[in-house]
Amino acid sequence: MMSTEQDIIERYGSVIKALIPYQQRGRLLEGLNRFSSRLSAQARNVIKNEVIRLTSQTDAPADNSAFAQFPVKKFAHFGITMTLDRVGAEILKRETARYLDQYTVGVFESITNSDFYKNQVTRKLRQKIIQAFTVQSQSYKDIVFDDDLSITPHFSVSTIAYQNGRSLTVVALSATEITVACTRSPKFADEPLPFTFPDIMGLCKANQEIHYRFKDVEFSSRTQRHHATLTLAEQDAEWQPKIAKYLAGAALRLPLERDLEIERTMQALDRDRIVENSPWIPVFLRKEQETFIPTMVMLTGTNTERNPGCRATRFLPGKSRFKRIMDELQRYNETYVFRTTVTAGTGKPIELCATLRELEQVQLLGFFIKLAEESDGLSIWQYRLSEIPETDRSNAMTIQDISSEDSELIPQLKHIVYVRMVNDELGKLKAFIPIEKAKLPKQVSDADECWPLHFVMEEGNDRRAEPRYRIEKSASVKFGLLTSYDAIVRDFSLSGMQIELLGPPQESPPEFIKVNVPDLKMKGMRYQVLNYSPQNYVMRLRLEANDANSKLATKISGQNASLLKIRNIEQQQKVYFRYLWELASRNQPHIAIQVIHGRQMYSRLKTVYIPEQSNDLYPFKQVTNEVPLHGFVADMDKSPPDSSALKRLLQQANRYHMAIHCERKADQRLIALTAHECFASKLRKQIVQYLEESKVILCATTLECHPNVRVTTPMTKQRLALLSKVDMDVYEKLLNLQHTYSHVIHLIDISPLAQALTLAQYVPTESSDTGASEGGENTPA
């Protein structure tokens, strides 16, 4: 009987807690009647007696020193002797409040219950860890200052009210206020004062008078001047929208008011750091008759090293396959692309390409992976689509001082496809069941020609960091003693060139060839073949390094100076690179974490940059401007808060860390899993079963860490240029502050891929570069 009563008490614990206030007010039967439809007669009687017992007063001395965190304190409360520590005192305070400040049996049992006490300690520790790993967030979009927008213009104004019209430097100008620097403390009357403005393009003509009313004055120790602030007078209120319009256009070309400019500069430096260390390769698209055409690819040192083969001719799939990928991206904004090359029975290589959804629909994901691994050439790519807002495009052109006449191509780029290879973080895929042979549909064949791509990169990463010229001159190329082919020179510099053969050669190009260009008076110049594309017959050549060739190349350059005054490709590349960088810095597709030097792990997480629409944080949620990261990196059982995952990443023991959670759909409860538990233990079969029954969601998030190899980025000097006009001291401090940033961690969700692989009985194996969650306990959402 006792065990039955105890079962009832445990089962209806929440009902018992809800009835305590009714008992305190003498209305227990009324409360019981509210739950009578869900209670049996026996349960009703047991619950009633338990509530009465818990609310009855007691004189038993409370002592939790047997399991408390020392030191403990002896004191008397309610006339009762108590021996409690700090946590026990908090339990006493909270429990007695529930029982209307009475010392009851329920209070006594709560204090002396070690399980209850340990749960409170665990809850407090969890809250402390969550708070420690909660980081301030920032958007990739430009900061919108709204009514606070104020610039530091490069003109002066004057007023007869100050030293008979002496010029005053404008420190700040907003739509409603103006701040001027005075050598002496001004004494302005409390009436509208006329200020004479010079000729300002976009605002007013010379000698325009605008009236302001004095507000206040303060002395600036930084400038050693009195800064007087005046408010736009009511009689000239019509100037407010005119000034606001002028500020909107001038804010990108002129420095903002000092504090605002510092804020804007810091955001720009942070975003540039993310772009430089990003694992994504941004491919910029133009649209022609509902067809997306990949046009430009922006390469950095990091994304080139991170994605091998990105400079290959078939970096992207062929035209028909790419169209299918774009159809998926328009609908879902993300897709995974599986690519491989297999050998047909005739010995001819065949390229295969399919999206994850395509393979899932025909249930051929496992067979495709098996086929690819047999040929040892599986590559898995993650694609994300981002549309470039018109404001970002116009702002980028303004900041980089680019006009639409400079390039016909730039205004056409309105979308970005971000591409990255995920093979390294997954490691080698392992099958747990025999994979049956099947027949792949013809649609997965990728035999079409690819769209031509224009690779744009930083000056130091370019293959020929020297003046390059776009020319079209007839040439002949000698492969051997008797084999010669006609060609056209497309791109020329002193150390190399790009030529296009007019037809397919009958043999593979040798390592060295000789080139004749009659119009440039070149004869028998020996070049090394760096790359040859059999699809479009384009060859990239490098001049063989010897004194004779160098002298001849210099001579050719001097003789053909008039011919080579055509547009310099190197200069054009710089314009393209800076413009594409501006767009990429505002439209990154993932969450990025800025990491600084520090002693504690959690204090090193400085700022989280998060896109406006992002699933990378799932299964956790952002609250206002704070992002919880405990579920991805924190050791949930350690005090003080710490992160072994961050240590491995920042000490470069691992390049990747995979955080895995299993979310139960019934109650959205989260269970943190290790990679071994999820992919290599007996639990894996249970997870597969629950996934097939749609009872759980498998959440997998990779954290990829990149150290800041260099202090500055290609854009650092430009970002600080406007600030240097406002405050040189802050300029130096911000420049030195860049040394404190150590790493950028990229947080990217790969849950659809991990879930699909698990269902296909393929699981990733940890590589030496990848670590995984070490916790195994429940984590609150």
Side-chain angles (χ1 to χ4, degrees), residues 351-405:
E351 294 193 29
L352 304 179
C353 174
T355 67
L356 177 62
R357 291 184 181 89
E358 288 175 333
L359 295 173
E360 283 186 305
Q361 286 173 1
V362 294
Q363 297 182 350
L364 290 176
L365 176 59
F367 176 67
F368 189 98
I369 295 174
K370 179 184 178 182
L371 193 65
E373 290 191 332
E374 287 176 353
S375 61
D376 197 25
L378 175 66
S379 60
I380 306 175
W381 297 82
Q382 186 177 15
Y383 284 53
R384 287 186 178 179
L385 179 64
S386 176
E387 184 174 0
I388 310 171
E390 172 62 31
T391 53
D392 288 355
R393 287 186 279 131
S394 61
N395 288 350
M397 294 183 75
T398 302
I399 292 172
Q400 298 302 332
D401 195 21
I402 303 171
S403 63
S404 56
E405 291 78 17

Side-chain angles (χ1 to χ4, degrees), residues 369-370 372-378 380 422-432 679 757 761-770:
I369 295 174
K370 179 184 178 182
E373 290 191 332
E374 287 176 353
S375 61
D376 197 25
L378 175 66
I380 306 175
V422 298
N423 290 55
D424 287 347
E425 56 210 79
L426 292 179
K428 186 173 178 61
L429 298 178
K430 177 182 178 182
F432 277 90
F679 301 131
L757 291 173
Q761 300 293 344
Y762 267 97
V763 296
T765 57
E766 278 191 81
S767 66
S768 58
D769 288 334
T770 305

Side-chain angles (χ1 to χ4, degrees), residues 163 191 232 262 279 281-282 331 334 434 565 585 715 730:
Q163 296 187 4
E191 60 183 25
L232 190 66
I262 293 173
I281 296 179
R331 186 174 179 182
E334 180 183 66
K565 66 183 180 182
S585 69
M715 309 294 281
V730 175

Side-chain angles (χ1 to χ4, degrees), residues 120-189:
Q120 305 307 309
V121 173
T122 302
R123 186 176 292 109
K124 281 192 68 175
L125 174 61
R126 184 177 296 277
Q127 291 173 348
K128 185 177 180 181
I129 291 172
I130 292 174
Q131 185 177 5
F133 285 94
T134 297
V135 187
Q136 294 292 314
S137 69
Q138 177 67 277
S139 171
Y140 285 106
K141 298 301 178 185
D142 289 332
I143 300 172
V144 179
F145 294 105
D146 292 328
D147 295 337
D148 295 330
L149 181 61
S150 178
I151 67 171
T152 302
H154 50 69
F155 59 80
S156 300
V157 296
S158 62
T159 176
I160 194 68
Y162 181 76
Q163 296 187 4
N164 294 322
R166 185 173 180 177
S167 294
L168 298 170
T169 303
V170 180
V171 176
L173 176 66
S174 70
T176 57
E177 292 185 349
I178 187 172
T179 301
V180 294
C182 309
T183 53
R184 298 180 182 179
S185 180
K187 296 181 180 179
F188 293 132

Side-chain angles (χ1 to χ4, degrees), residues 305-560:
E305 180 267 335
R306 169 65 175 74
N307 299 278
C310 63
R311 297 299 302 273
T313 308
R314 298 191 68 84
F315 160 56
L316 295 179
K319 293 181 179 179
S320 61
R321 288 279 79 200
F322 187 78
K323 183 181 184 303
R324 178 66 183 90
I325 293 170
M326 287 306 304
D327 291 341
E328 271 197 24
L329 285 173
Q330 285 182 274
R331 186 174 179 182
Y332 301 106
N333 289 326
E334 180 183 66
T335 189
Y336 294 88
V337 178
F338 289 70
R339 301 181 67 183
T340 188
T341 302
V342 297
T343 304
T346 59
K348 179 182 178 182
I350 301 175
E351 294 193 29
L352 304 179
C353 174
T355 67
L356 177 62
R357 291 184 181 89
E358 288 175 333
L359 295 173
E360 283 186 305
Q361 286 173 1
V362 294
Q363 297 182 350
L364 290 176
L365 176 59
F367 176 67
F368 189 98
I369 295 174
K370 179 184 178 182
L371 193 65
E373 290 191 332
E374 287 176 353
S375 61
D376 197 25
L378 175 66
S379 60
I380 306 175
W381 297 82
Q382 186 177 15
Y383 284 53
R384 287 186 178 179
L385 179 64
S386 176
E387 184 174 0
I388 310 171
E390 172 62 31
T391 53
D392 288 355
R393 287 186 279 131
S394 61
N395 288 350
M397 294 183 75
T398 302
I399 292 172
Q400 298 302 332
D401 195 21
I402 303 171
S403 63
S404 56
E405 291 78 17
D406 291 338
S407 173
E408 299 177 0
L409 208 54
I410 279 181
Q412 300 177 34
L413 306 177
K414 298 183 180 180
H415 292 79
I416 308 176
V417 168
Y418 287 93
V419 182
R420 76 181 189 107
M421 186 183 284
V422 298
N423 290 55
D424 287 347
E425 56 210 79
L426 292 179
K428 186 173 178 61
L429 298 178
K430 177 182 178 182
F432 277 90
I433 60 172
I435 306 298
E436 296 182 0
K437 289 187 176 182
K439 186 177 181 180
L440 290 172
K442 292 182 179 180
Q443 289 80 1
V444 302
S445 175
D446 185 21
D448 290 354
E449 64 177 1
C450 300
W451 291 105
L453 297 174
H454 183 176
F455 293 96
V456 181
M457 64 197 78
E458 185 184 350
E459 183 179 357
N461 292 333
D462 202 344
R463 290 163 298 197
R464 283 182 280 158
E466 60 182 351
R468 296 165 53 196
Y469 303 94
R470 181 79 69 187
I471 62 175
E472 289 192 10
K473 298 295 179 183
S474 297
S476 63
V477 179
K478 294 188 68 174
F479 280 18
L481 187 61
L482 300 175
T483 53
S484 179
Y485 300 96
D486 292 332
I488 295 178
V489 179
R490 300 293 189 189
D491 171 358
F492 174 81
S493 72
L494 293 184
S495 65
M497 69 168 66
Q498 184 184 94
I499 64 172
E500 180 183 343
L501 302 181
L502 298 183
Q506 298 177 357
E507 58 189 296
S508 299
E511 183 180 359
F512 289 93
I513 62 174
K514 290 186 177 181
V515 180
N516 298 326
V517 186
D519 289 347
L520 296 180
K521 299 181 181 180
M522 290 175 53
K523 187 175 181 180
M525 295 283 283
R526 185 175 163 89
Y527 283 85
Q528 181 183 3
V529 179
L530 298 178
N531 178 265
Y532 171 67
S533 171
Q535 284 78 23
N536 51 21
Y537 317 133
V538 172
M539 305 175 71
R540 291 191 296 109
L541 309 176
R542 179 172 63 193
L543 186 66
E544 186 181 16
N546 57 53
D547 294 340
N549 276 347
S550 298
K551 290 179 180 179
L552 186 56
T554 306
K555 182 179 179 182
I556 291 171
S557 177
Q559 291 175 343
N560 298 278

